Every structure is written in structure tokens, then in C-alpha cells.
Amino acid sequence: DTEVTQTPKHLVMGMTNKKSLKCEQHMGHRAMYWYKQKAKKPPELMFVYSYEKLSINESVPSRFSPECPNSSLLNLHLHALQPEDSALYLCASSQVGGTLTGELFFGEGSRLTVL
Amino acid sequence: QQQVKQSPQSLIVQKGGISIINCAYENTAFDYFPWYQQFPGKGPALLIAIRPDVSEKKEGRFTISFNKSAKQFSLHIMDSQPGDSATYFCAAIALMNRDDKIIFGKGTRLHILP
């Protein structure tokens, strides 16, 4: 079982909706990530939080808004999304500089469909 | 510009055979090379990783071969089993950058015939 828990597993939303994806880990990791994965593609980095501070924003549109309330939780707030935003959204965590071990611990993802 | 080139895109292997996936990179700053395995409907999971000061690393049926001079590395799955059917991503990291970025290859969809 993955130690990174993502909710919901599936989400369908209209383009005018506001929704949030949630991620939780209890491994003591201080780096947390949001990735977007389209079918048959590798994960694409969206955001990195290090010690609860946003350290990387890969030029993601403002309709995606990340939040890290504490060291165990990571949220992704969604607003006014487009159909092309439909994808699997993966949360991951690691030790800081977290790539020190090269190991990201991924959740199972939230499958988002935008109508 | 793709920084890690992975091939083949898809691979079909008979049960018991050897599956081989190849990756190449250009950036000499990369100094850590993990492989991730992803089953349908699941997130990727670290399978095995290697540093460039080692030419080979073996964990069970999985072996990474690394050629630093050619800037190439490969994953070998010995005695391939139907349960190995998944998508495999090679990746590269520049640990010295400490930017928490992992560069993924495009992935290989492996299917093991029963």
C-alpha cells in the first residue's frame, strides 16, 4: 500500500466549478510535489514544496493553485479548468533535496475529468 | 528538448524471456539514474537506481547496466513474468543542483505474454 494518500481518486468537474485535490503523507518527508500525467506520457512536474514553502512552479496556469497547510498535507485547488486539463494528478513526497536518494514516493493519483 | 531518451516505446516479451529497455542522456550533470515502474491506475514506484560510478547494479531479476562514456543506461528484466507488465520510466537527476527535479524518459510499455 502506498504511504501517500490522495483523495478523491476520481473527480469530474465542469469548467466553472471549484474543487480541490488532497494529498497526505506521514513519512516525515519535507518535500512534496504535484505532477500531472496524461495517458501514455511521463509525469510532468507542476509544483514542489520544500519545508512547506513553494520552491518550484513550473509555469503552471493560475487556475491551478497549490497549498501546503503543514508538513503532512498538500492541496491543489482547481478553478475554471479546461477540458485539456483532464489527466491523472499525482502527489509525491521525498526527503528534502529529496532527490538525494532519487526516490519519490507517489500516491495513486486523482483522475480528473473536466467537462 | 528531451533530456532523457528512452526506447523502445513498447515491448512485447515471452514469459521467461529477457526484457531490455534503453535510455540515453546528454546532460553530464546528471549523477543519479532511477527507474520507475507504473501499473495501470497506480502511481509510479521506484524500482531500482544507479549512480554513474557503478557499471552495474542487480536487484533480484532486475539489473541496470550503465555506460558512463556513452551516456547510456539500460534496464534488464530477467525471466520476465506477466506480473512485470507495466510502464517503465527511466529518469535522471542532477543531485548537485538540489532542485528536486527528476527528468523522466517517455516510458516503455512492457507486455509479457503468458
Side-chain angles (χ1 to χ4, degrees), chain B:
Chain B
Q1 182 180 5
Q2 184 185 359
Q3 297 188 52
V4 179
K5 295 183 178 180
Q6 183 172 349
S7 63
Q9 190 173 7
S10 63
L11 181 61
I12 299 174
V13 176
Q14 291 281 350
K15 178 182 176 182
I18 302 174
S19 303
I20 302 174
I21 303 171
N22 300 300
C23 287
Y25 64 98
E26 292 293 329
N27 187 349
T28 55
F30 290 144
D31 52 7
Y32 196 72
F33 301 89
W35 285 86
Y36 280 80
Q37 179 189 54
Q38 185 175 24
F39 293 105
K42 303 291 186 181
L46 180 68
L47 183 65
I48 188 173
I50 196 168
R51 295 180 184 269
D53 54 348
V54 177
S55 61
E56 184 176 283
K57 182 174 182 180
K58 184 176 181 179
E59 291 185 2
R61 296 183 295 107
F62 300 89
T63 300
I64 301 178
S65 297
F66 191 87
N67 186 329
K68 187 175 181 179
S69 61
K71 291 186 283 188
Q72 295 174 347
F73 57 110
S74 60
L75 176 69
H76 291 63
I77 306 175
M78 311 300 288
D79 187 26
S80 300
Q81 299 297 312
D84 298 328
S85 297
T87 298
Y88 292 81
F89 295 99
C90 63
I93 303 168
L95 293 176
M96 67 178 74
N97 289 352
R98 292 180 169 263
D99 60 5
D100 293 303
K101 286 188 178 183
I102 292 181
I103 309 301
F104 287 97
K106 289 192 171 183
T108 296
R109 300 180 76 189
L110 174 64
H111 182 64
I112 308 300
L113 297 173

Side-chain angles (χ1 to χ4, degrees), chain A residues 4-6 21-25 27 29-36 43-58 66-68 71-76 89-107 109, chain B residues 36 93 95 98-104:
Chain A
V4 177
T5 303
Q6 290 188 244
L21 305 181
K22 299 184 182 299
C23 175
E24 187 170 6
Q25 59 90 13
M27 294 179 282
H29 292 162
R30 302 303 294 274
M32 296 187 75
Y33 311 71
W34 280 115
Y35 281 84
K36 173 183 177 180
E44 296 176 39
L45 183 63
M46 299 175 72
F47 303 103
V48 181
Y49 274 83
S50 180
Y51 292 108
E52 295 87 67
K53 292 185 178 180
L54 184 64
S55 60
I56 294 177
N57 177 340
E58 290 288 279
E67 178 195 19
C68 190
S71 60
S72 300
L73 296 175
L74 186 66
N75 298 321
L76 185 62
Y89 287 85
L90 293 162
C91 173
S93 71
S94 72
Q95 298 173 20
V96 174
T99 49
L100 284 175
T101 63
E103 182 161 16
L104 293 183
F105 290 82
F106 283 91
Chain B
Y36 280 80
I93 303 168
L95 293 176
R98 292 180 169 263
D99 60 5
D100 293 303
K101 286 188 178 183
I102 292 181
I103 309 301
F104 287 97

